[in-house]
Amino acid sequence: MSIPRYNLPRLKGKIIALDGPAGSGKSTTAKLLAQSLGYIYLDTGAMYRALTYFALKIGVMPSDKIKLAALAKKVSIEFKTENDINKIYINGEDVTTAIRTPEVTRYVSEVSAHKEVREAIVAQQMEIGKNGNIVAEGRDTTTVVFPQADLKIYLDASVEVRAQRRLLDMGKMGVTTSLEEQIEDIKRRDEYDSNRRHSPLKRAKDAYYVDTSNMTVQEQVEWIINLIRKTVK
Ligand code: DC
């Protein structure tokens, strides 16, 4: 999808953070917004997914917070844009597709719920965003990683719409699943992510709220651009 590059020269060094539940439209919107602003796109969930993938690969249990935290401090997670595709590497291995499998999706909530794991990953995220020029996306970016963000947005959508979007994404990646399965998965993850002890999914007091259930991606990006024009100085 081509999105116009918005000419917003005063937008140097800013941090824009997008929060919200799974399937609310955060990733697609953040990616296009970053592209249109010429900013870095930081997919924080992908980092937890990469760690989960790697842990499963080398036989570390998703419940083993000590080994996981040690791993999180040791591994190198990198983002690279190749031919307009945002890729993620862990210890040099391209895991862009591998981190989206149902298996990783099943275990990532548990891995990302450990305080020690979060501390290590959040430290890396803060480092990536230290000079601004970043659109960060993920369920603690407005509250924990970048509480000082220049603009915070909380995206939401109905469970059905979110499940439908996930189904489409999975289909594009050749993963076979059903709408019912996705609805169940989304509900389970919402429950887990909202009730976990460390950094639960919650809406920051100063975050703008938008329900994207009936919005196209383009509308979502434009809604945010208008907000930037009005509020970011
Ligand atoms: O957005 P996603 O589905 O790729 O996120 C994968 C998991 O990682 C999800 O269960 C919640 C977790 N996550 C997190 O705990 N903190 C973030 N900033 C981003 C994602």
Side-chain angles (χ1 to χ4, degrees):
M1 181 184 306
S2 85
I3 286 272
R5 208 184 151 97
Y6 294 85
N7 190 14
L8 294 165
R10 68 172 187 275
L11 220 63
K12 284 220 173 77
K14 302 291 181 199
I15 298 177
I16 299 172
L18 271 57
D19 224 312
S24 57
K26 295 187 303 275
S27 313
T28 325
T29 309
K31 208 178 297 173
L32 290 172
L33 186 66
Q35 247 176 39
S36 62
L37 296 172
Y39 269 29
I40 299 163
Y41 163 57
L42 176 61
D43 177 351
T44 58
M47 296 175 76
Y48 292 103
R49 283 175 178 274
L51 181 69
T52 304
Y53 163 84
F54 199 76
L56 292 172
K57 184 175 143 178
I58 62 169
V60 172
M61 299 292 288
S63 57
D64 192 340
K65 62 180 178 192
I66 308 289
K67 281 198 184 144
L68 284 169
L71 204 58
K73 284 190 195 136
K74 211 165 60 182
V75 291
S76 132
I77 302 177
E78 286 173 293
F79 289 97
K80 292 182 192 166
T81 307
E82 291 164 17
N83 304 323
D84 274 345
I85 299 171
N86 296 296
K87 297 206 161 184
I88 179 162
Y89 289 79
I90 186 159
N91 280 4
E93 179 184 351
D94 179 353
V95 291
T96 314
T97 312
I99 62 168
R100 306 285 163 194
T101 59
E103 197 195 8
V104 171
T105 302
R106 192 171 320 125
Y107 291 112
V108 64
S109 288
E110 187 178 353
V111 170
S112 65
H114 302 302
K115 178 170 167 274
E116 298 78 359
V117 169
R118 302 199 68 78
E119 282 167 358
I121 298 288
V122 166
Q124 292 194 31
Q125 293 164 351
M126 287 174 168
E127 180 63 25
I128 295 172
K130 69 174 193 278
N131 298 321
N133 295 322
I134 193 164
V135 179
E137 167 266 294
R139 63 208 66 195
D140 72 343
T141 49
T142 61
T143 51
V144 177
V145 190
F146 300 116
Q148 81 285 21
D150 299 278
L151 180 63
K152 302 179 187 181
I153 297 157
Y154 189 94
L155 288 99
D156 207 353
S158 71
V159 170
E160 290 70 23
V161 167
R162 289 158 51 206
Q164 188 68 50
R165 288 176 182 161
R166 278 281 141 124
L167 191 66
L168 275 176
D169 286 349
M170 297 290 217
K172 278 184 208 151
M173 287 183 298
V175 179
T176 319
T177 166
S178 68
L179 184 61
E180 291 68 32
E181 212 178 322
Q182 287 308 305
I183 289 178
E184 278 320 301
D185 193 54
I186 293 245
K187 283 187 181 163
R188 190 177 52 75
R189 287 177 59 195
D190 277 359
E191 173 78 15
Y192 197 97
D193 292 342
S194 306
N195 294 314
R196 71 185 181 196
R197 212 143 69 91
H198 306 293
S199 305
L201 170 67
K202 64 170 191 263
R203 191 177 147 194
K205 280 201 186 75
D206 52 351
Y208 290 88
Y209 179 90
V210 58
D211 185 330
T212 66
S213 299
N214 297 310
M215 290 167 89
T216 64
V217 173
Q218 178 112 19
E219 284 168 346
Q220 290 166 37
V221 175
E222 279 169 8
W223 187 88
I224 297 176
I225 295 281
N226 281 332
L227 205 54
I228 290 173
R229 288 208 174 98
K230 280 193 227 146
T231 66
V232 181
K233 299 282 177 283

